[in-house]
Amino acid sequence: MEHYNFSEIEKKWQKQWLETRLYEPSFSNAKQPFYNLMMFPYPSAEGLHVGNMYAFVGADIYGRAKRMQGHNVFEPIGLDGFGIHSENYALKIGAHPMDQSKVSQENFYRQLSMIGNGFAWEERLETYDPAYYRWTQWVFTQLWKRGLAYRKRQSVNWCPSCKTVLADEQVVGGKCERCGTIVERRDLEQWFLRITEYAPRLLANLDVIDWSERVKIAQRNWIGKSEGARIRFSVVGGQLSVTHLEVFTTRPDTLFGATFMVVSPELAKSWMDAGRSGSDESSGSKRWQASEEVRAYVTDAIARRATADPEAPTQDKTGIDSGIRAVNPATHEEIPVWVSDYVLAGYGTGAIMAVPAHDGRDFEFAKKYQLPVRMVVCPHYPAPSCPVLDHAYEDAGHLVDSGRFDGMDSETAKWAIAEFVHGTRETQYRLRDWLISRQRYWGVPIPMIHCEACEQAGRGEWKEMPGWYAVPDADLPVVLPHIKEFRPKGTGESPLATMKEFYEATCPSCGGAARRETDVSDTFLDSAWYYIGYLGRINDKRRTTPTLRETEVGAPTGSVGADNPFLNLLIQKWLPVNLYTGGAEHSVLHLLYVRFLSLALHDMKLLEFGPSSAPKGEPFPKFRAHGLLIKEGAKMSKSKGNVVNPDEYIRKYGADALRMYLMFLAPFEQGGDFRDEAVMGVVRFLERVWRLCTTNDKQQTTNDKRIERLVHKTVKKVTDDIETLGYNTAISALMILLNEMERSTDKLTTLNLQTFLKLLAPFAPHITEELWSRMNQQPTTDNQQQEFKSIHTESWPAYDPALLVEETATIVVQVNGKARGTFTAPRGADQAAIEALARAEANVVRHLTGPPKRIVFVPDQLINFVL
RNA sequence: GCCCGGGUGCUGAAAUUGGUAAACAGAGGGGACUCAAAAUCCCCUGACCGCAAGGUCUUGUCGGUUCAAGUCCGACCCCGGGCACCA
């Protein structure tokens, strides 16, 4: 008997699939397009990680089943190769990122082609390819033209180790997402994308899209919607250049209990600095004359904020009375204005009304500085007295000590009081604009030009940003040059700022000498549109044989001209993506950015998807987060040295075995622990499949009805489980079927064997292809080649629901709820018949010591005698 | 502190949504085949009592609802992940 030579078989079919372009969909003729997208990898490390393979295989199985179910499946792959992760890896091994990218690319593609996925290789892309990033830059300039990209000076996150600024989303628990260094604050002028403008829609659409719940929750929390009111407090006696202080509060109902105000050190500093610049001076505003103590506190608090260690035990709140007084608009009392580090500059107005009785933080602060605490919401009303507080009471209740609002429930009082003091309703979001500048080398140059002369003259594309111009479309891409000194400098500028040939430019407006922006953009901008890139015409140059696509692509439907790769019939036909699969760690990074950009491009009429169940412009109506693959209870990481390289397992056991093992160990959405010994289970399974199919030599030819029933049951189970990504139980059902087929003494019918192979095909594509081809081999008289008919384009088996119903049922007999025996009975037997059979069981007789008070009967399942 | 997951044999896990807990595997033990080993095949394996028939206990802990609870309700403990002075 020929043994199962997986390595030969796998190589053979991978070659055949590629040559016959089995996984290249016919883009324009597809009747049922199915875009099966998985997050493309960062080729940053030593090679493909088994965790990547886990994710890709899980997605591929779904796509393969869909293909067999009659869909035209498009499963693209590419590399997210620009950015800090790739650059840091190059730095670590002492290579130049541009040279290293070629090495990584080759290695990744080699590994990716071994795992047996049905990738459409001809559409692959790499984000560092100028043909690709030309469009990343184009997207940026479009956002700029619509006012969604802007440059602003503000306090930003700075990673001292990566020597660049970071977006809020890339700061995890106060540390750099990439290297774990504590992030500092720096005041810098940077490029931002106005994602906050989309906060309401990004939030609202979450209710309608079909995504893993945990990811939706993470996005909701990150966007952080709060509804409240903006309330004005007047400042006493012209101490400040401003006459009013505004606060945002979600609890206007507690206004009568606001006994002081607190402003952030940054806001206080802006008062001290007011009038320092020329324009303010001329408008006659005067600078705040703060005391020395207050000045010292403000300076110190801002400095401390810049380097605070988030891991340190929560620092004690500090603060100082500014000397300024304001008026509570409800009580008309004069209250002090304090400066404290517990108030954030970047949220709301940077100032708060403090209600110590009903806010934990204000309470703590009031206790420390002996400020008055006045209770205005009482939990039990009407009551003679409110409880004495030892902590803030933050729940709802009824108002007390609040003038004419006494007795009102706090929920109603919110808007009544807000209205009473002429406050306005306001919704605040926690989400902040996306900071995309990076002071690094290995990324997409931000395609902007700054002209000093134009700035002096007040000219520019936007009044607010004089001197700035987008690089004209015709001049894109701004190519990233190969420079020797690519290391980050830490000066707040990219290494490109040292390269004269790069930064010297001509002003697109006045034609004078100008300077090119030298920062590069965040990698997440590259990956925010790659799923469109696979369908665009951006990488046609790579294709050696022209595909139908050049002629297939319809005329652009928008007004931006044929050059816009985002508007064409293919995109309308194939987008939005049918299923997107990836890691939950991207919940508030990639998965948020990509939604934002798609919505924005739709609003700008630069992108148009086809019909979808999701709101217009949502790129991924269905997203599933896979679980994390760990090793011995710990996350795989290079520093722990427990990263599993799939290569050696594929060499040892084959891609099919590794695929099946990865999918068998736990539910796909849960993730699991990789243990080498456990691989043997599926290795044995595949060998038994091989043996069964190559030596079906049982003698009897009678058709085994039992096997046929089980086959139908398995078809249903596997079909349903694939739909819910329950691959582990689908595989277990296939194992049960194999066990029974082996055990059967009857010769197995070809149909049953074929059905079994088809069900197994998405999981183990190579072995099933080989066995399928053998099974369908026609005896040929001459050497003529047989036409290649892949199992992967065969139709998915159907099941007969009538065969799923067993003829008999196993009935459990209970006495007082305890199982005392089982017996089989004809399906559908009535209670009287079952009761008679049950009473005949010896063990039941023993326990039926008296007449039952009650008999519970569940047809075909159970009978319970209750004594 | 808040928000998500999760807690079931030696291990990974399963359980048609309230109806025989532990399917399918791994590991371990025993046996067959073999000069021997590997591979393969068969049997056993939640705990305790019992020769057996059978019984008692068992899904993180405690309590509740129910004829019946891994599943529902309440309180708590532990593990993993996310957010963290967001007013």
Side-chain angles (χ1 to χ4, degrees):
Chain A
M1 187 191 75
E2 189 187 347
H3 86 287
Y4 167 41
N5 185 342
F6 56 81
S7 88
E8 204 170 275
I9 290 169
E10 291 180 359
K11 275 197 204 91
K12 167 179 152 193
W13 291 112
Q14 282 169 10
K15 186 160 167 276
Q16 172 84 348
W17 295 335
L18 209 60
E19 281 169 1
T20 56
R21 305 180 68 239
L22 187 69
Y23 304 121
E24 297 297 330
S26 54
F27 284 98
S28 63
N29 300 328
K31 286 214 172 58
Q32 290 194 75
F34 190 95
Y35 194 153
N36 187 41
L37 182 70
M38 55 204 81
M39 288 182 185
F40 64 165
Y42 313 125
S44 54
E46 285 78 358
L48 191 78
H49 192 279
V50 75
N52 294 323
M53 178 170 167
Y54 178 74
F56 297 150
V57 167
D60 181 64
I61 289 167
Y62 194 88
R64 286 182 177 278
K66 283 284 165 241
R67 183 179 292 110
M68 294 175 78
Q69 287 160 13
H71 289 85
N72 242 276
V73 175
F74 178 39
E75 185 174 307
I77 190 71
L79 297 177
D80 190 11
F82 247 151
I84 297 182
H85 25 63
S86 298
E87 188 181 320
N88 282 356
Y89 176 63
L91 279 167
K92 188 180 132 198
I93 64 166
H96 191 283
M98 197 171 274
D99 306 331
Q100 180 56 32
S101 70
K102 294 192 184 75
V103 178
S104 294
Q105 176 176 326
E106 198 181 320
N107 191 34
F108 258 71
Y109 282 154
R110 178 188 61 78
Q111 288 186 298
L112 281 166
S113 61
M114 291 186 346
I115 66 173
N117 270 29
F119 290 132
W121 283 104
E122 291 172 17
E123 283 71 30
R124 70 188 178 275
L125 58 79
E126 302 85 37
T127 51
Y128 46 75
D129 181 348
Y132 179 88
Y133 68 70
R134 173 188 173 196
W135 296 106
T136 310
Q137 291 173 336
W138 180 80
V139 163
F140 182 89
T141 61
Q142 294 300 320
L143 292 169
W144 160 259
K145 282 172 189 158
R146 314 294 161 120
L148 290 173
Y150 65 95
R151 190 174 165 86
K152 192 184 168 191
R153 180 176 200 90
Q154 73 171 54
S155 170
V156 296
N157 306 300
W158 171 266
C159 173
S161 165
C162 292
K163 299 187 171 112
T164 179
V165 299
L166 299 170
D168 287 341
E169 289 79 7
Q170 283 147 36
V171 179
V172 179
K175 294 179 174 181
C176 172
E177 181 226 1
R178 300 260 32 114
C179 68
T181 308
I182 294 168
V183 167
E184 301 173 353
R185 305 292 302 182
R186 280 200 185 181
D187 225 33
L188 294 168
E189 198 175 306
Q190 301 286 320
W191 288 102
F192 293 87
L193 298 184
R194 217 178 283 281
I195 191 171
T196 50
E197 193 168 310
Y198 284 81
R201 267 162 79 195
L202 288 170
L203 186 69
N205 288 1
L206 285 175
D207 293 341
V208 223
I209 54 181
D210 176 18
W211 282 28
S212 295
E213 202 54 37
R214 56 189 162 133
V215 173
K216 294 212 273 188
I217 288 164
Q219 290 207 351
R220 272 191 202 108
N221 291 342
W222 188 259
I223 295 168
K225 181 180 178 174
S226 297
E227 290 185 88
R230 182 180 280 253
I231 293 173
R232 282 160 68 108
F233 288 64
S234 53
V235 175
V236 174
Q239 299 155 289
L240 283 182
S241 56
V242 290
T243 55
H244 290 89
L245 279 184
E246 291 195 324
V247 301
F248 170 75
T249 177
T250 54
R251 294 294 303 272
D253 52 315
T254 63
L255 182 58
F256 283 84
T259 50
F260 58 101
M261 296 183 79
V262 191
V263 300
S264 63
E266 290 82 356
L267 184 60
K269 184 164 192 308
S270 76
W271 293 340
M272 298 188 311
D273 293 347
R276 202 159 274 177
S277 66
S279 57
D280 282 350
E281 200 84 72
S282 60
S283 71
S285 66
K286 61 179 188 186
R287 198 180 309 162
W288 173 38
Q289 299 300 324
S291 70
E292 275 313 308
E293 288 85 350
V294 173
R295 282 177 186 282
Y297 176 80
V298 167
T299 312
D300 182 53
I302 291 174
R304 264 185 293 124
R305 189 109 100 187
T307 54
D309 180 356
E311 299 279 286
T314 29
Q315 313 98 309
D316 214 17
K317 291 175 177 52
T318 62
I320 191 164
D321 186 342
S322 70
I324 297 168
R325 295 289 175 269
V327 177
N328 181 326
T331 61
H332 302 294
E333 279 176 322
E334 270 192 26
I335 55 174
V337 177
W338 283 62
V339 185
S340 171
D341 54 2
Y342 84 92
V343 173
L344 300 174
Y347 184 80
T349 61
I352 62 157
M353 63 180 216
V355 185
H358 304 292
D359 181 281
R361 297 154 299 183
D362 297 344
F363 186 86
E364 196 188 315
F365 193 78
K367 284 286 156 203
K368 181 168 174 182
Y369 294 103
Q370 281 129 49
L371 292 159
V373 178
R374 184 187 302 150
M375 193 158 187
V376 290
V377 176
C378 190
H380 21 76
Y381 183 89
S385 65
C386 286
V388 177
L389 294 174
D390 57 358
H391 63 272
Y393 176 74
E394 297 184 337
D395 295 333
H398 289 265
L399 265 63
V400 293
D401 213 355
S402 297
R404 61 178 168 104
F405 298 97
D406 283 0
M408 192 180 273
D409 77 90
S410 54
E411 204 50 43
T412 314
K414 277 186 181 174
W415 303 116
I417 291 183
E419 210 167 280
F420 171 62
V421 298
H422 308 290
T424 48
R425 275 185 187 241
E426 189 166 298
T427 303
Q428 281 282 336
Y429 294 91
R430 224 188 63 105
L431 182 71
R432 303 228 247 133
D433 277 340
W434 176 12
L435 166 51
I436 65 142
S437 308
R438 296 294 178 273
Q439 290 73 42
R440 298 283 292 226
Y441 164 68
W442 189 236
V444 177
I446 294 174
M448 296 297 297
I449 291 172
H450 182 251
C451 173
E452 193 58 44
C454 285
E455 176 168 353
Q456 292 305 323
R459 284 194 305 266
E461 287 180 281
W462 292 96
K463 197 169 74 220
E464 304 83 352
M465 288 163 277
W468 282 103
Y469 297 96
V471 172
D473 285 5
D475 295 344
L476 295 177
V478 175
V479 176
L480 181 72
H482 192 292
I483 63 172
K484 262 211 184 72
E485 256 322 303
F486 65 86
R487 279 155 211 283
K489 301 172 357 165
T491 55
E493 281 192 316
S494 152
L496 292 171
T498 61
M499 194 183 194
K500 219 168 150 197
E501 307 88 292
F502 179 79
Y503 67 70
E504 282 186 347
T506 308
C507 174
S509 174
C510 69
R515 190 184 165 94
R516 196 180 287 291
E517 169 65 63
T518 52
D519 282 357
V520 299
S521 75
D522 181 7
T523 331
F524 284 101
L525 187 61
D526 306 333
S527 57
W529 70 277
Y530 77 112
Y531 65 103
I532 307 167
Y534 286 132
L535 282 166
R537 285 167 293 170
I538 52 130
N539 52 356
D540 286 349
K541 59 168 184 56
R542 190 181 288 113
R543 208 166 291 120
T544 46
T545 49
T547 67
L548 281 175
R549 208 121 65 85
E550 276 83 359
T551 51
E552 276 171 6
V553 174
T557 54
S559 55
V560 288
D563 236 10
N564 176 358
F566 296 1
L567 278 175
N568 67 54
L569 295 178
L570 279 192
I571 279 166
Q572 291 184 20
K573 187 176 177 112
W574 286 84
L575 285 172
V577 167
N578 296 81
L579 175 66
Y580 192 30
T581 317
E585 70 273 18
H586 284 292
S587 297
V588 296
L589 291 159
H590 167 65
L591 285 169
L592 196 61
Y593 298 144
V594 75
R595 292 181 58 216
F596 154 64
L597 189 65
S598 175
L599 291 171
L601 289 170
H602 271 80
D603 288 354
M604 297 189 284
K605 305 252 185 285
L606 295 177
L607 177 63
E608 176 87 42
F609 294 160
S612 149
S613 57
K616 188 176 160 66
E618 284 290 343
F620 313 127
K622 180 172 176 175
F623 170 78
R624 288 293 177 273
H626 63 249
L628 197 67
L629 192 65
I630 57 173
K631 171 89 177 171
E632 276 130 30
K635 202 169 162 172
M636 288 187 205
S637 75
K638 273 163 280 166
S639 57
K640 288 198 200 81
N642 61 351
V643 176
V644 176
N645 184 331
D647 285 20
E648 58 174 294
Y649 288 89
I650 290 176
R651 206 179 321 115
K652 227 161 147 183
Y653 306 110
D656 282 345
L658 185 56
R659 286 171 66 98
M660 290 203 64
Y661 168 62
L662 291 175
M663 295 302 114
F664 183 56
L665 57 73
F668 186 55
E669 291 181 83
Q670 182 189 302
D673 205 335
F674 188 95
R675 285 161 56 248
D676 332 359
E677 331 90 70
V679 182
M680 287 318 294
V682 291
V683 169
R684 287 186 195 121
F685 170 78
L686 290 174
E687 278 168 353
R688 284 162 58 207
V689 169
W690 179 263
R691 220 173 305 138
L692 183 78
C693 293
T694 51
T695 58
N696 184 19
D697 54 2
K698 285 166 184 146
Q699 293 308 307
Q700 299 172 52
T701 51
T702 40
N703 194 2
D704 188 337
K705 200 76 187 164
R706 232 183 67 254
I707 292 291
E708 199 193 342
R709 279 180 184 283
L710 187 58
V711 167
H712 281 257
K713 238 175 98 176
T714 309
V715 171
K716 177 172 165 47
K717 176 76 178 153
V718 173
T719 310
D720 293 351
D721 283 354
I722 287 178
E723 199 49 49
T724 59
L725 314 184
Y727 301 139
N728 57 332
T729 46
I731 291 170
S732 132
L734 290 165
M735 287 173 165
I736 293 170
L737 179 56
L738 177 72
N739 290 347
E740 289 304 316
M741 289 196 302
E742 280 182 337
R743 214 159 285 163
S744 168
T745 50
D746 290 353
K747 189 175 170 70
L748 298 161
T749 64
T750 310
L751 180 65
N752 282 342
L753 277 179
Q754 286 183 332
T755 302
F756 175 74
L757 285 180
K758 282 182 181 178
L759 294 178
L760 180 59
F763 301 93
H766 310 89
I767 189 176
T768 49
E769 188 79 298
E770 174 71 21
L771 292 169
W772 183 261
S773 88
R774 287 170 182 236
M775 210 173 278
N776 294 316
Q777 202 108 61
Q778 305 294 325
T780 43
T781 44
D782 46 47
N783 286 348
Q784 80 186 77
Q785 281 277 156
Q786 266 191 42
E787 196 196 344
F788 171 53
K789 285 205 71 184
S790 172
I791 189 172
H792 302 299
T793 48
E794 288 292 327
S795 64
W796 190 251
Y799 59 88
D800 177 358
L803 285 175
L804 300 179
V805 186
E806 303 283 344
E807 285 158 338
T808 57
T810 302
I811 309 290
V812 177
V813 194
Q814 295 184 338
V815 178
N816 277 340
K818 283 191 188 301
R820 296 299 178 190
T822 61
F823 60 89
T824 50
R827 193 154 279 273
D830 64 8
Q831 180 167 349
I834 295 296
E835 200 183 316
L837 287 166
R839 283 176 183 279
E841 291 279 309
N843 201 36
V844 174
V845 173
R846 194 178 359 232
H847 287 92
L848 269 181
T849 50
K853 277 203 284 266
R854 190 178 155 190
I855 298 173
V856 180
F857 175 64
V858 185
D860 296 331
Q861 270 181 7
L862 166 141
I863 186 159
N864 185 9
F865 297 98
V866 185
L867 300 184

